[in-house]
Amino acid sequence: MVNEQLLTDCHLAPQVCQQARLSRDARFDGQFFTGVLTTGIYCRSICPAPAPHEKNVRYFDSAIKAANAGLRPCLRCRPDSAPSSNAWRGTQTTLNRALTLIEQGYLYGDNAMPVTELAEKLGITSRYLSQLFNQQLGTSPKRFAQYQQLMFAKQLLHQTSLSMTDIAMAAGFNSVRRFNEVFQQHLQLTPSAIRKQSHSIIATQVTSDNPLMSVNPITLTLAYRPPLNWPKMLQFYAFRQVEHMEVINDDGYMRSFSFNGINGVFAAKHHHNKPQLDVSIYFVNALDIKRLHKVVLKVRALFDLDADMQVIEQALTPITSLGANIDVGLRIPGTANVFEAVCRAVLGQQVSVLQATKLLNTLVQHYGEPLNLNGKIWRLFPTPTVIAQASLDELKMPGARKLALNALGKYVAQYPDSTPQDWLSVKGIGPWTVAYAQMRGLSEPDVFLTTDLVIKNRLHALHQLAQRPIESTKSYSQIAKHISEQISPWGSYLTFQLWDENPLTPIKE
């Protein structure tokens, strides 16, 4: 009989985990961790170390569970660098929201809030919140937050030559002393010992906020579970490229960003032989290193690096059964923030992608704030306040759409915590626009744009190909609803699969 404790440790069957670790299958990276009981460490599925005997291992579906079992992270495969996995979270919506807020730094750093305020934000009691964490993770919200800090700090120790002070700040600790104490207490290692074992790190220096001084990047590697169709993602961005805000070439993607007042530039290239992106982050203000973790999470979301494409692509049967070919590794290409996404959607109403991109370039050129970095002038995407007050005379589009942009900017500036659903109250902002913003701006995985003209045409064509033509608008609505239910919760991926049939044809978004 299978031990009940082992079943609660990991959502995957032991046989699956065994096969994945023995074959070092990168598709399972971050979905589970292997605890080696004889050495007291836990590893990723891709660990290069000799595989231990099955009788000496125990599987966990999260790093925090392995840590709670008294195991420390492996120094060879570095679990701190594994892609995230949502499978172990289950379907508890409140817990998922809590984990997201904690990962964004709600319980640590300069603006840390007490657990009671986190519970209040979630609309539950702190006691119930603690019960949820203990039931799912076997730990408290505070300890979970602290472990996220430690794992990010460990990643920085391995991959950068940042000073201990900078690493402590970037991981959300208020002092180096506290950082050292917590690190040794929970990981059974000292930060200096980790640093000594990291031989091939890139020289990193954080400079002042003087734009005339040279700014050196913080360079990290961000792992993902294959497959990732990096060329197709770059192609998508390139066709919608905004001059002075983005640079896209065969090697990678570079753009300016402003994340909640944190300004800078990041560059991402695909590693030549590993499932990871090499990312360089340039901060204009050296003190913004305190927000490094948030920026890294944004970059991961931008490229959809935590998606489990193996599971998602198995769910695409509604179109493969009609004869469609799946573009393997096609992910959701995000935007820097949800306001940028909704502006792109408004500018793309009733025009081709090519025309929408011209309008977007004009908008950023005239209303985007300039950013001087190492002698190069970048532009940031315009803020809601700027859009609210802009004349928009330079944009060659209907006056009603200009007014919609103004009204939207005013609403978001007045209610910065509003959601895309709230924006439906703004004249000129409809369900398609909001759905597009949720998909690309918030990286929501289940947005199937059934009312989109291209989606309609592709579904009609596929049904025609399968000799099952859609005869009426009513029939289309029924079929689209059925497909939405079948594909859930991966509707956004189906949207991009259908859009991708001929991505360089000027189509109406």
Side-chain angles (χ1 to χ4, degrees):
M1 186 174 180
V2 179
N3 188 308
E4 290 186 7
Q5 178 61 46
L6 297 181
L7 292 177
T8 59
D9 284 340
C10 187
H11 68 283
L12 294 173
Q15 297 86 350
V16 174
C17 297
Q18 181 184 17
Q19 291 175 11
R21 74 175 179 89
L22 292 178
S23 61
R24 295 183 174 87
D25 195 332
R27 294 174 301 173
F28 288 87
D29 191 14
Q31 289 196 27
F32 74 91
F33 297 91
T34 304
V36 186
L37 306 181
T38 51
T39 59
I41 65 171
Y42 67 93
C43 305
R44 297 159 70 177
S45 66
I46 60 171
C47 187
H53 293 296
E54 187 68 14
K55 65 180 180 180
N56 295 328
V57 305
R58 180 175 163 189
Y59 299 111
F60 304 89
D61 52 20
S62 68
I64 188 68
K65 285 185 179 180
N68 288 340
L71 303 172
R72 64 183 186 278
C74 174
L75 294 179
R76 291 192 66 180
C77 64
R78 302 175 184 175
D80 46 275
S81 298
S84 297
S85 174
N86 292 328
W88 56 270
R89 299 184 182 209
T91 57
Q92 230 297 343
T93 304
T94 302
L95 179 65
N96 287 335
R97 288 178 59 208
L99 291 171
T100 299
L101 289 170
I102 290 173
E103 288 167 351
Q104 292 172 351
Y106 204 88
L107 293 183
Y108 57 86
D110 289 344
N111 300 316
M113 301 292 179
V115 174
T116 51
E117 287 198 23
L118 173 62
E120 186 178 341
K121 186 176 181 66
L122 295 168
I124 59 176
T125 64
S126 57
R127 181 178 179 181
Y128 181 59
L129 179 63
S130 296
Q131 288 177 348
L132 284 178
F133 270 78
N134 281 313
Q135 289 169 3
Q136 283 293 107
L137 302 174
T139 191
S140 67
K142 192 67 179 176
R143 180 176 164 81
F144 176 84
Q146 198 169 70
Y147 204 72
Q148 299 306 302
Q149 292 176 264
L150 291 172
M151 294 301 275
F152 185 62
K154 185 172 176 293
Q155 183 181 4
L156 296 179
L157 285 166
H158 282 300
Q159 297 185 13
T160 76
S161 60
L162 288 169
S163 69
M164 292 297 177
T165 300
D166 284 337
I167 289 176
M169 289 174 58
F173 291 94
N174 294 324
S175 71
V176 176
R177 180 179 178 181
R178 178 60 178 162
F179 167 54
N180 287 327
E181 287 176 354
V182 175
F183 201 96
Q184 188 163 10
Q185 177 186 351
H186 290 276
L187 300 186
Q188 303 167 41
L189 292 164
T190 63
S192 56
I194 295 274
R195 174 55 59 79
K196 287 178 182 177
Q197 296 195 28
S198 302
H199 303 295
S200 56
I201 54 179
I202 300 170
T204 307
Q205 179 183 359
V206 181
T207 61
S208 76
D209 58 351
N210 186 338
L212 298 179
M213 293 182 65
S214 177
V215 177
N216 293 322
I218 299 170
T219 302
L220 299 167
T221 59
L222 305 183
Y224 65 86
R225 281 176 294 275
L228 164 62
N229 197 328
W230 183 243
K232 272 292 175 69
M233 181 166 280
L234 291 182
Q235 190 179 64
F236 184 91
Y237 280 124
F239 197 56
R240 296 156 178 80
Q241 180 177 348
V242 178
E243 193 175 356
H244 302 303
M245 190 178 82
E246 299 171 295
V247 175
I248 300 107
N249 52 41
D250 292 339
D251 292 325
Y253 178 84
M254 192 172 189
R255 75 160 287 165
S256 63
F257 65 82
S258 181
F259 301 144
N260 297 321
I262 310 165
N263 296 340
V265 172
F266 76 82
K269 292 184 178 182
H270 197 280
H271 194 278
H272 64 281
N273 63 1
K274 293 182 179 179
Q276 64 187 40
L277 298 185
D278 297 328
V279 176
S280 298
I281 299 170
Y282 301 77
F283 285 120
V284 173
N285 189 334
L287 293 178
D288 283 340
I289 193 171
K290 293 181 179 181
R291 310 288 185 265
L292 177 60
H293 194 198
K294 291 184 179 180
V295 174
V296 170
L297 291 175
K298 290 290 290 186
V299 174
R300 292 196 67 88
L302 196 79
F303 298 123
D304 199 17
L305 296 184
D306 294 319
D308 186 349
M309 296 309 299
Q310 188 178 13
V311 171
I312 293 167
E313 288 169 0
Q314 287 175 353
L316 295 175
T317 51
I319 60 170
T320 57
S321 63
L322 296 172
N325 293 319
I326 293 300
D327 203 331
V328 177
L330 198 66
R331 304 192 182 211
I332 303 172
T335 59
N337 56 61
V338 68
F339 182 69
E340 177 185 325
V342 74
C343 288
R344 285 177 178 266
V346 172
L347 294 174
Q349 292 173 3
Q350 304 301 315
V351 297
S352 68
V353 175
L354 186 61
Q355 182 59 30
T357 302
K358 289 180 179 178
L359 291 170
L360 192 65
N361 272 268
T362 301
L363 183 75
V364 174
Q365 178 186 347
H366 286 87
Y367 300 104
E369 179 186 346
L371 184 72
N372 188 336
L373 186 73
N374 293 345
K376 177 178 172 60
I377 301 298
W378 295 79
R379 287 202 175 271
L380 300 171
F381 194 83
T383 65
T385 301
V386 169
I387 294 297
Q389 300 170 354
S391 68
L392 305 179
D393 292 337
E394 302 83 2
L395 301 180
K396 296 180 180 179
M397 65 182 193
R401 208 170 306 154
K402 295 180 185 179
L403 292 175
L405 271 180
N406 289 141
L408 180 67
K410 182 178 180 181
Y411 187 94
V412 176
Q414 188 174 356
Y415 304 104
D417 294 329
S418 60
T419 67
Q421 284 296 323
D422 298 327
W423 303 343
L424 289 170
S425 62
V426 177
K427 186 176 181 180
I429 306 300
W432 183 95
T433 301
V434 163
Y436 184 95
Q438 290 173 316
M439 181 174 64
R440 291 202 62 203
L442 297 178
S443 301
E444 291 193 5
D446 199 15
V447 180
F448 184 35
L449 295 177
T450 58
T451 62
D452 181 86
L453 180 61
V454 176
I455 301 298
K456 284 183 178 180
N457 290 341
R458 300 279 157 82
L459 287 179
H460 273 280
L462 284 172
H463 280 79
Q464 188 71 37
L465 184 69
Q467 299 183 346
R468 291 150 56 184
I470 301 174
E471 302 290 354
S472 65
T473 301
K474 183 178 179 181
S475 295
Y476 174 81
S477 298
Q478 293 172 341
I479 289 170
K481 181 181 178 182
H482 182 60
I483 292 176
S484 296
E485 293 170 350
Q486 283 183 300
I487 195 66
S488 183
W490 312 118
S492 300
Y493 297 89
L494 181 54
T495 295
F496 276 98
Q497 287 286 346
L498 293 173
W499 273 353
D500 185 60
E501 186 177 317
N502 191 0
L504 296 185
T505 300
I507 58 176
K508 293 184 178 180
E509 288 196 336

